């Protein structure tokens, strides 16, 4: 028995003074209302309404139940109204999770504008290169970079695409030579990204089609910012996503190797735990980040 629905029905019966009129208002049959009230009385162990063929009246217990019901239903209505009024407001505590490199290079530079736009918002940004359990960690949204998201109870919204290319420092290439064909990468010192799908297998697409390289990187790191710094220091050849490579490439600290070849482009997903939609603060963050990625 849905107690809240029964309370609403009982109030309507009392206020309309008739099962038939209350049933008409509620769009149900009088017999159904009669059964609901009988179940309610049985659960309470007392009679709430005395009925004859011509009249209906409240017992003392019924009057008490009716009066208390009014307060309960009013309180429920106030709570629902407050939630509806606040549903479109960007306020509260937003908890975001992202990888260290994406968090530092993409999210962090765009946080000031986001926080200025929504001054009533509290924000926690957790950066972790591991895939965390969103529900256990209490996160509202997690930014994940994957070729595809596996089926799960989580909801993934695509907000961008990443370009991945091969880079090295000019001084490394001066010493070790510049590869002219994909197969020549194998003879170079490769620095691998441990969390990437292509740690030991690079599938490159270029003018001659797709080429797969089987590699055994002697240096492997779990953070693409560390990988970037090792490449800048002339320690070898490696792959970087565009959000990490953009600035050092613009400065000339890194140059593309085999610029006509690229690795598969992973997607950027904003992952939430609810299939019922997201609240205003999560929507605002996702749209702010989506706009930053477009720019």
């Amino acid at each position: 028995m849905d107690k809240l629905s029964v309370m609403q029905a009982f109030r309507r019966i009392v206020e309309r003074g008739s099962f038939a009129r209350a049933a008409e208002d509620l769009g149900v049959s009088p017999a159904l209302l009669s059964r609901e009230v009988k179940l309610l009385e049985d659960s309470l162990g007392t009679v709430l309404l005395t009925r004859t063929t011509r009249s209906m009246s409240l017992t003392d217990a019924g009057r008490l139940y009716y009066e208390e019901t009014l307060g309960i239903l009013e309180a429920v209505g106030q709570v629902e109204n407050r939630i509806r009024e606040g549903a479109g407001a960007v306020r509260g505590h937003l908890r975001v999770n992202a990888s260290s490199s994406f968090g530092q290079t993409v999210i962090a530079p765009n946080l000031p504008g986001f926080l200025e736009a929504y001054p009533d918002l509290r924000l926690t940004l957790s950066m972790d290169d591991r895939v965390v359990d969103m529900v256990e960690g209490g996160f509202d949204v997690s930014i994940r970079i994957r070729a595809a998201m596996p089926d799960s109870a989580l909801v993934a919204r695509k907000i961008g695409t990443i370009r991945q290319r091969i880079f090295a420092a000019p001084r490394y290439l001066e010493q070790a030579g510049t590869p002219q064909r994909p197969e020549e990468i194998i003879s170079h010192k490769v620095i691998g990204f441990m969390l990437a799908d292509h740690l030991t297998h690079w599938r490159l697409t270029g003018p001659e089609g797709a080429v797969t390289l089987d590699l055994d990187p002697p240096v492997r790191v779990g953070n693409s910012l560390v990988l970037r710094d090792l490449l800048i220091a002339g320690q070898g050849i490696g792959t970087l996503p565009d959000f990490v490579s953009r600035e050092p490439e613009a400065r000339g600290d890194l140059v593309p190797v085999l610029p006509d070849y690229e690795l598969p482009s992973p997607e950027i997903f904003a992952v939430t735990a609810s299939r019922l939609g997201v609240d205003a603060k999560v929507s605002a963050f996702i749209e702010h980040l989506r706009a930053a990625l477009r720019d």
Side-chain angles (χ1 to χ4, degrees):
M1 180 171 56
D2 183 342
K3 283 291 181 71
L4 192 61
S5 295
V6 172
M7 285 182 180
Q8 292 169 332
F10 185 79
R11 181 182 69 176
R12 188 61 60 89
I13 292 167
V14 173
E15 293 174 349
R16 296 287 278 158
S18 163
F19 275 80
R21 288 192 290 268
E24 184 179 353
D25 291 348
L26 297 172
V28 297
S29 68
L32 176 62
L33 284 189
S34 181
R35 286 196 299 271
E36 290 290 332
V37 171
K38 183 63 170 62
L39 288 173
L40 175 62
E41 291 175 329
D42 290 344
S43 71
L44 296 173
T46 189
V47 176
L48 301 177
L49 292 169
T50 57
R51 286 167 280 175
T52 67
T53 55
R54 296 185 177 181
S55 66
M56 181 191 75
S57 62
L58 287 169
T59 65
D60 290 342
R63 185 172 293 102
L64 175 62
Y65 188 84
Y66 171 71
E67 291 171 353
E68 293 298 326
T69 290
L70 291 179
I72 292 170
L73 293 176
E74 182 179 358
V76 170
Q78 290 174 351
V79 169
E80 290 178 342
N81 287 335
R82 287 200 299 270
I83 291 174
R84 290 190 190 100
E85 291 169 359
V90 181
R91 63 166 65 98
H93 191 176
L94 176 65
R95 299 169 178 85
V96 180
N97 167 259
S99 68
S100 298
S101 57
F102 191 84
Q104 291 182 53
T105 59
V106 179
I107 296 179
N110 287 285
L111 280 184
F114 178 69
L115 295 174
E116 288 171 7
Y118 305 106
D120 295 331
L121 191 68
R122 296 177 59 203
L123 174 73
T124 296
L125 173 60
S126 173
M127 292 182 286
D128 196 323
D129 288 316
R130 300 169 301 151
V131 175
V132 301
D133 186 316
M134 283 190 59
V135 177
E136 183 178 335
F139 295 109
D140 298 298
V141 59
S142 179
I143 305 302
R144 299 184 182 176
I145 300 172
R146 295 284 184 275
M149 289 296 297
D151 291 336
S152 72
L154 301 177
V155 181
R157 297 168 175 82
K158 177 184 171 183
I159 60 173
T161 302
I162 288 175
R163 186 183 183 195
Q164 294 192 110
R165 294 178 294 158
I166 309 169
F167 289 92
R171 62 172 172 167
Y172 171 82
L173 297 175
E174 290 173 3
Q175 296 171 356
T178 301
Q180 300 300 315
R181 297 179 58 80
E183 295 79 5
E184 297 177 21
I185 294 285
I186 297 173
S187 62
H188 282 262
K189 183 178 180 181
V190 174
I191 303 176
F193 182 42
M194 293 170 57
L195 304 179
D197 296 332
H198 60 271
L199 173 62
T200 58
H201 303 283
W202 289 9
R203 187 176 185 276
L204 303 175
T205 301
E208 299 178 5
V211 179
T212 300
L213 303 179
D214 294 325
L215 304 169
D216 183 19
V219 178
R220 307 179 182 198
V221 297
N223 182 291
S224 58
L225 298 181
V226 175
L227 195 157
R228 174 202 64 190
D229 292 344
L230 288 173
L231 295 180
I232 292 174
Q235 295 301 304
I237 290 178
T239 65
L240 290 175
D242 52 8
F243 63 86
V244 173
S245 66
R246 186 175 295 113
E247 290 189 6
E249 182 182 7
R251 294 193 303 264
D253 294 337
L254 293 175
V255 295
V257 175
L258 298 172
D260 293 332
Y261 287 84
E262 294 187 12
L263 284 87
S265 299
E267 311 288 358
I268 307 171
F269 294 98
V271 182
T272 57
S274 173
R275 291 189 177 275
L276 300 179
V278 295
D279 63 18
K281 63 181 182 292
V282 175
S283 293
F285 178 78
I286 292 175
E287 289 309 311
H288 186 84
L289 186 55
R290 194 196 305 269
L293 292 170
R294 283 198 300 265
D295 295 340

